[in-house]
Amino acid sequence: MGTVLSVCTASCQALWNSSSNRTTALRSRERIRTSRQEDDLAIEFRLKRQQVLLGERAPRLHAVVHEAALRATLDSPRLMRGQLLRLIELSCLPNVTLQVMPFDGPVAFGTSFALIQPEVWELSTVVVGHVEKSLYLGDRSDLVRYGDAFAKVCEVALPPADATVSPEAHDAKDSLGLIQRLLYPLL
């Protein structure tokens, strides 16, 4: 079991080399099926990849998503609502931590990246997504630098979503509250 740490900004190339601005490990089935640009093989690949989070030896996924990436309405409000509900659903998994970086928070890092840390440290990789070509980094200094950057982003992002806590128990701003606020206009 490994760990995936991901920072998704407004221009996020998305986790694990996707072409969407949503973290594909957290995509809903409905969103994937409605994509006009993806063929059946790509859809099946993404659905299988998503199942990794539910498996017996599921990796730990800690994602920090910028509010801009959550607000981008690329599809109908109904589909976007489904995406946000899927984020909440998956944030309930014991191996998934979801944080949101609000617009009014400090800009701690300017680009999207994923830090993939398998059990074998030497196989760790940083993936910096870009529209034309992603950058893959494996040097120890890069891994440490991006690990430090991820820790800083986590510090300034809202506390993790915790869907197990009742709404009235939330006494401070948190990631779940922001996502719930974004859901309201999508009704």
Side-chain angles (χ1 to χ4, degrees):
M1 168 173 31
T3 301
V4 177
L5 308 174
S6 175
V7 173
C8 184
T9 62
S11 62
C12 184
Q13 185 63 19
L15 186 60
W16 297 334
N17 200 24
S18 166
S19 60
S20 169
N21 80 334
R22 294 284 183 262
T23 305
T24 57
L26 305 178
R27 281 183 162 181
S28 72
R29 179 178 295 268
E30 186 174 38
R31 164 89 169 126
I32 294 171
R33 289 234 163 100
T34 60
S35 175
R36 294 181 205 117
Q37 299 173 352
E38 301 294 334
D39 62 12
D40 290 341
L41 290 174
I43 292 169
E44 287 306 310
F45 173 78
R46 287 185 173 133
L47 289 172
K48 286 179 185 174
R49 181 173 56 195
Q50 190 177 115
Q51 293 302 310
V52 170
L53 290 174
L54 307 172
E56 201 172 290
R57 291 182 34 88
R60 188 174 74 86
L61 171 66
H62 188 157
V64 179
V65 182
H66 196 280
E67 182 178 351
L70 297 175
R71 286 185 178 270
T73 307
L74 303 176
D75 292 308
S76 72
R78 183 179 65 81
L79 291 175
M80 298 309 295
R81 181 174 169 77
Q83 289 299 296
L84 294 173
L85 291 172
R86 181 68 171 157
L87 286 173
I88 293 171
E89 176 186 336
L90 291 174
S91 73
C92 292
L93 294 173
N95 57 308
V96 174
T97 302
L98 173 65
Q99 289 182 263
V100 176
M101 175 70 71
F103 281 130
D104 61 357
V107 177
F109 201 76
T111 189
S112 302
F113 68 90
L115 175 55
I116 302 167
Q117 299 173 321
E119 289 179 0
V120 179
W121 171 252
E122 291 79 16
L123 296 176
S124 294
T125 305
V126 174
V127 181
V128 182
H130 188 271
V131 173
E132 299 203 8
K133 186 176 181 181
S134 294
L135 180 63
Y136 298 87
L137 306 170
D139 291 341
R140 186 168 195 77
S141 62
D142 293 325
L143 297 169
V144 169
R145 186 169 37 130
Y146 278 87
D148 290 345
F150 186 80
K152 288 176 186 172
V153 168
C154 290
E155 285 177 22
V156 297
L158 292 172
D162 185 356
T164 63
V165 176
S166 64
E168 62 274 5
H170 290 263
D171 59 359
K173 291 182 178 181
D174 67 356
S175 295
L176 178 61
L178 192 145
I179 294 170
Q180 288 173 330
R181 187 177 79 213
L182 294 176
L183 282 168
Y184 184 77
L186 298 175
L187 290 173

